[in-house]
Amino acid sequence: MFDALTPRRRSMLIAMGGVPLLLAACAKTTESGGSDGGGAGGSALTVGTTDKVTALDPAAAYDNGSSVVWTQVYGYLLNTKIGSTDGKPEPDLAESAEFTSDTVYTVKLKSGLTFASGNELTSEDVKHTFDRQIAIADPNGPSSLLANLDSVNVVDELTVEFHLKEPDDQTFPYILSSPAGPIVDSEVFPADKVLSDDEIVAAKAFCGPYQLTSWKLNELASFQAFDGYQGLYGTPKTSDVAISYYADQNNMKLDVQQGNVDAVFRSLSATDVEDLKKDDAVAVHDGPGGEIRYIVFNFDTQPYGAKTEQADEKKALAVRQAAADLIDRQAIATSVYKDTYTPLYSYIPEGLPGAGTQFQDLYGDGSGGPDAAKAKKRLEDAGVEIPVQLSLQYNPDHYGSSSGDEYAAVKSQLEADGLFAVDLQSTEWVQYSEDRTADVYPAYQLGWFPDYSDADNYLSPFFSKDNFLVNHYDNAEVQDLIAKQRGIADAAEREKTFVEIQDKVAADVSTLPLLQGSQIAVSTKDLQGVTLDSSFKFRLVPLSK
């Protein structure tokens, strides 16, 4: 067992041919929303959330709750400036980053970077970061984002090359700023297994604007500004910030109204948000949309799935398509979310290139409403026994308490004409995130909070062969098109490919899109700096009072 704080042996750092490496440095800047160059200070702040963290190790989770913590404590090679309107990544830990050939992306780190422990941060750490993501390939991790990464090559102490499988990957700079991109300490994080939260905190293995000083999983996280950070976000406005994790959104709402916490985010119900907009003691902040909600079908265990006793591909498809015929998105958006969410009829949400209406055109009444007669005919033509016995799972604590009402509505819509008999169950997030990747749920709820502002982020993670859903969807034609679109520089041509991908997946109904929504946070009136932008990241750096 190695000592996490053992001084690293940099004499072993040599160029390693054939292994592409992505490199970025903690860039010192005064242009971000973080600081104008002054030291961190201000009164201590507390932020509340009902979200849940799965793991501090970036290889072990792929959820918004975990990513929020990573955003504060890890540096990225590239990141998005606070307040960005286009979501484009810029150097963070990197001094420069560019394609040096059609399949090589070269990153040069800033000099003098360290982790909070005092360990140096060099290209060795960058290579280690991405190599371990791929080696561990945790089913709940973000390694699927690195599908186009072939290898990482250390050129020198500050330079790495990322060698890509497919050329001219337009998404790769974004991926470096995504949940696959937090840079970890090679002297602390094992190459082939996940590291525990307590070990990460004890080792001070952080290189972001903050370090964690204390940690109680899904209870309380205490952050203190890290004065060695040289990145895009700048110096935090407030040195000491805590995130308090709530089990009950009603208590969270009450605490922000009474000033017991300075801000809250994820998740208040639509009714709560509507009520808080009338409260003069607080401010409600809206940000660009991008969040989506959807149902995942497990192609092995759904009715007539590949590993069921009555396995039948044709019948399984008919079940998925019939479900799509019966869903009334607008009814759910209005009755459950008071139109703070809107219907989602394609995999790419409205506002991004390639957004479409495939699920409006192909299913239901052709105008967004349900059509039970159409669903019944699909099932009968395929020889499916009616009613279809469907086990459907949802999560009550990760996507907000309204999930119960949302999935009660889904159940009611599927059962309205006697075509489905739905066994609706719920499981809390920590167990849910394990079960869903272990083929426990034939159909289940998920939500998506984008990793970066590019339409690819709604396709590659879901429909590539080794996708994070682990739902056994495997369409080679779709996979080829996903790889193709990454290398298309012409925006119009790339958008056509987005549409083609969605047409094919919509016919298969790998997942069933339901709703899309915006980012929302609520703060006390005296809190400054709440910024919800096109990065889709919640940052503590600009907060002050």
Side-chain angles (χ1 to χ4, degrees):
M1 231 178 126
F2 67 87
D3 179 354
L5 300 182
T6 300
R8 60 180 77 233
R9 297 176 60 191
R10 297 299 180 187
S11 60
M12 296 301 293
L13 184 62
I14 59 174
M16 300 176 66
V19 189
L21 194 89
L22 179 55
L23 210 69
C26 294
K28 191 170 186 177
T29 180
T30 59
E31 296 179 359
S32 76
S35 175
D36 59 3
S43 303
L45 300 175
T46 301
V47 175
T49 184
T50 60
D51 218 342
K52 295 291 185 287
V53 175
T54 303
L56 293 183
D57 189 330
Y62 194 9
D63 58 82
N64 195 66
S66 300
S67 186
V68 165
V69 178
W70 303 345
T71 293
Q72 323 310 325
V73 300
Y74 293 113
Y76 297 69
L77 296 178
L78 303 179
N79 222 321
T80 306
K81 185 185 296 184
I82 295 173
S84 170
T85 58
D86 59 15
K88 290 184 178 178
E90 301 180 30
D92 186 7
L93 298 178
E95 183 171 293
S96 64
E98 61 182 346
F99 277 102
T100 50
S101 80
D102 59 358
T103 57
V104 178
Y105 194 78
T106 301
V107 180
K108 184 174 177 62
L109 289 172
K110 292 174 179 161
S111 61
L113 296 175
T114 67
F115 294 93
S117 64
N119 286 352
E120 295 176 354
L121 193 165
T122 73
S123 54
E124 179 183 349
D125 301 295
V126 177
K127 174 177 172 56
H128 180 77
T129 292
F130 293 94
D131 284 353
R132 77 183 292 267
Q133 281 279 14
I134 293 171
I136 293 172
D138 191 289
N140 280 310
S143 62
S144 61
L145 289 171
L146 301 173
N148 195 33
L149 179 59
D150 186 38
S151 62
V152 183
N153 180 45
V154 172
V155 177
D156 57 39
E157 192 170 84
L158 297 179
T159 310
V160 289
E161 293 175 345
F162 293 89
H163 291 251
L164 308 179
K165 299 172 186 175
E166 300 292 336
D168 302 317
D169 186 345
Q170 305 299 304
T171 69
F172 197 69
Y174 291 92
I175 289 169
L176 296 183
S177 70
S178 78
I183 302 303
V184 301
D185 190 339
S186 60
E187 287 294 324
V188 173
F189 288 81
D192 57 358
K193 64 180 181 180
V194 170
L195 191 64
S196 73
D197 292 354
D198 289 343
E199 289 175 293
I200 293 170
V201 174
K204 298 183 178 180
F206 309 117
C207 62
Y210 286 96
Q211 57 182 311
L212 274 168
T213 55
S214 67
W215 173 252
K216 290 185 178 180
L217 179 65
N218 294 324
E219 293 183 29
L220 185 69
S222 298
F223 301 85
Q224 185 177 71
F226 169 43
D227 60 11
Y229 175 64
Q230 302 178 47
L232 182 64
Y233 291 164
T235 304
K237 292 286 191 181
T238 303
S239 295
D240 297 292
V241 184
I243 294 181
S244 181
Y245 294 88
Y246 286 78
D248 188 319
Q249 70 181 37
N250 295 317
N251 292 338
M252 185 172 76
K253 174 192 175 187
L254 185 61
D255 273 355
V256 75
Q257 287 181 297
Q258 295 180 344
N260 297 326
V261 296
D262 300 286
V264 299
F265 70 99
R266 289 204 30 82
S267 292
L268 292 166
S269 70
T271 301
D272 286 340
V273 173
E274 189 176 50
D275 185 43
L276 288 166
K277 287 181 178 179
K278 304 170 187 175
D279 189 337
D280 292 338
V282 299
V284 177
H285 307 267
D286 291 318
E291 175 189 352
I292 64 172
R293 303 174 80 96
Y294 55 99
I295 296 171
V296 180
F297 290 101
N298 185 306
F299 278 50
D300 278 1
T301 61
Q302 69 150 98
Y304 305 101
K307 293 190 176 179
T308 64
E309 291 183 1
Q310 296 179 305
D312 187 309
E313 188 174 344
K314 181 181 177 182
K315 291 181 179 180
L317 175 60
V319 167
R320 298 192 302 272
Q321 291 179 334
D325 284 323
L326 295 171
I327 293 297
D328 187 339
R329 295 166 179 80
Q330 186 61 64
I332 298 172
T334 300
S335 65
V336 177
Y337 293 106
K338 299 187 182 299
D339 296 317
T340 57
Y341 283 81
T342 57
L344 177 64
Y345 294 111
S346 63
Y347 295 108
I348 298 172
E350 187 176 352
L352 286 175
T357 57
Q358 284 86 352
F359 280 84
Q360 179 175 291
D361 302 336
L362 294 174
Y363 301 106
D365 64 3
S367 299
D371 189 331
K374 191 173 182 180
K376 183 178 182 181
K377 187 174 188 306
R378 285 191 198 275
L379 296 173
E380 290 177 340
D381 287 351
V384 173
E385 183 178 348
I386 296 173
V388 178
Q389 305 294 321
L390 178 67
S391 295
L392 179 62
Q393 200 83 10
Y394 75 93
N395 170 259
D397 62 328
H398 188 65
Y399 300 112
S401 62
S402 296
S403 290
D405 294 331
E406 177 183 347
Y407 274 77
V410 169
K411 172 181 168 69
S412 178
Q413 291 176 3
L414 292 175
E415 292 183 334
D417 292 275
L419 300 180
F420 281 78
V422 178
D423 178 17
L424 184 63
Q425 302 290 333
S426 67
T427 307
E428 292 193 350
W429 182 251
V430 173
Q431 186 64 45
Y432 193 89
S433 60
E434 294 179 5
D435 289 348
R436 72 164 191 86
T437 61
D439 295 336
V440 174
Y441 308 143
Y444 62 93
Q445 171 201 30
L446 274 187
W448 181 252
F449 305 90
D451 306 310
Y452 47 85
S453 187
D454 185 270
D456 170 80
N457 196 227
Y458 294 89
L459 303 175
S460 292
F462 296 87
F463 311 126
S464 297
K465 184 175 177 59
D466 297 317
N467 62 71
F468 91 100
L469 298 175
V470 198
N471 70 332
H472 311 291
Y473 176 62
D474 186 1
N475 184 321
E477 192 173 4
V478 168
Q479 293 157 18
D480 288 344
L481 287 169
I482 287 174
K484 174 186 173 183
Q485 60 81 21
R486 294 192 196 106
I488 299 174
D490 181 80
E493 184 183 351
R494 190 168 182 235
E495 184 170 0
K496 287 180 181 178
T497 309
F498 289 150
V499 172
E500 187 177 359
I501 292 167
Q502 291 184 99
D503 287 346
K504 293 181 182 301
V505 182
D508 294 337
V509 198
S510 169
T511 69
L512 182 55
L514 296 178
L515 304 169
Q516 74 175 94
S518 60
Q519 305 173 78
I520 294 177
V522 180
S523 71
T524 57
K525 285 289 191 181
D526 61 348
L527 186 71
Q528 304 297 313
V530 177
T531 308
L532 304 175
D533 59 25
S534 59
S535 71
F536 307 113
K537 295 183 179 183
F538 187 86
R539 283 130 331 170
L540 302 177
V541 166
L543 302 182
S544 67
K545 65 178 182 180

